[in-house]
Amino acid sequence: MDATMGSIAPTGLKGKLAALEDFISMQNEELAAQRQEIESLRGDKAGIEEHYQGQLQELKKTMVGDVQRLQDEVKRHFVQQKAENQRLQQQIVTLKGEKTSLQQQILGLQRRVQEIEEQVGAD
């Protein structure tokens, strides 16, 4: 019975010390494995961050280019619209002048018609 008990649970100070050293050794191995896992995860995290930072920078660069292109396009359209507005305003001024001239001509012709009618009626 002592022989089986001795192999299962160490007795004596040397046996307990050896068991404790084995336990410490296992814990150190486990700790080393955990540290290695942590370092591996840190490396993965750094790789993922680098990947997404690269994508973010590419996206920013693309968006800045798109925004710049759109701003240039808006400016170009604004200049074209301003020129078109000026052209239309000039046409409005010209047409108003023509309208005034035509109204004056109509008044002049109405007076002549009236004068002619008066002359015909007087004769």
Side-chain angles (χ1 to χ4, degrees):
M1 198 171 194
D2 269 354
T4 46
M5 287 296 279
S7 64
I8 294 175
T11 56
L13 193 54
K14 285 187 179 181
K16 289 182 180 180
L17 189 59
L20 189 56
E21 285 175 350
D22 286 345
F23 178 73
I24 290 172
S25 178
M26 275 190 343
Q27 291 300 314
N28 283 337
E29 287 175 10
E30 181 66 27
L31 184 60
Q34 292 296 324
R35 285 183 178 159
Q36 188 176 10
E37 179 67 21
I38 288 171
E39 287 304 313
S40 174
L41 292 172
R42 284 182 181 159
D44 291 349
K45 177 185 172 238
I48 290 170
E49 285 177 346
E50 186 179 322
H51 171 74
Y52 284 115
Q53 280 290 14
Q55 283 187 335
L56 181 62
Q57 291 302 322
E58 184 66 29
L59 185 59
K60 282 181 182 178
K61 188 168 61 170
T62 301
M63 288 179 71
V64 165
D66 289 347
V67 168
Q68 184 64 43
R69 182 182 50 79
L70 289 171
Q71 284 178 335
D72 292 344
E73 190 174 327
V74 166
K75 286 178 186 176
R76 189 176 72 252
H77 285 298
F78 181 75
V79 168
Q80 289 174 346
Q81 186 63 50
K82 190 174 179 181
E84 179 69 10
N85 290 351
Q86 288 175 342
R87 185 183 70 76
L88 291 173
Q89 189 62 41
Q90 184 59 44
Q91 283 183 351
I92 289 170
V93 168
T94 302
L95 289 173
K96 282 182 179 180
E98 290 175 3
K99 176 186 171 191
T100 302
S101 174
L102 288 172
Q103 286 176 334
Q104 289 173 349
Q105 289 176 9
I106 288 172
L107 285 175
L109 289 173
Q110 285 175 340
R111 281 190 210 118
R112 282 185 64 197
V113 166
Q114 188 176 5
E115 289 172 2
I116 292 172
E117 287 176 346
E118 288 174 3
Q119 286 178 357
V120 169
D123 288 340

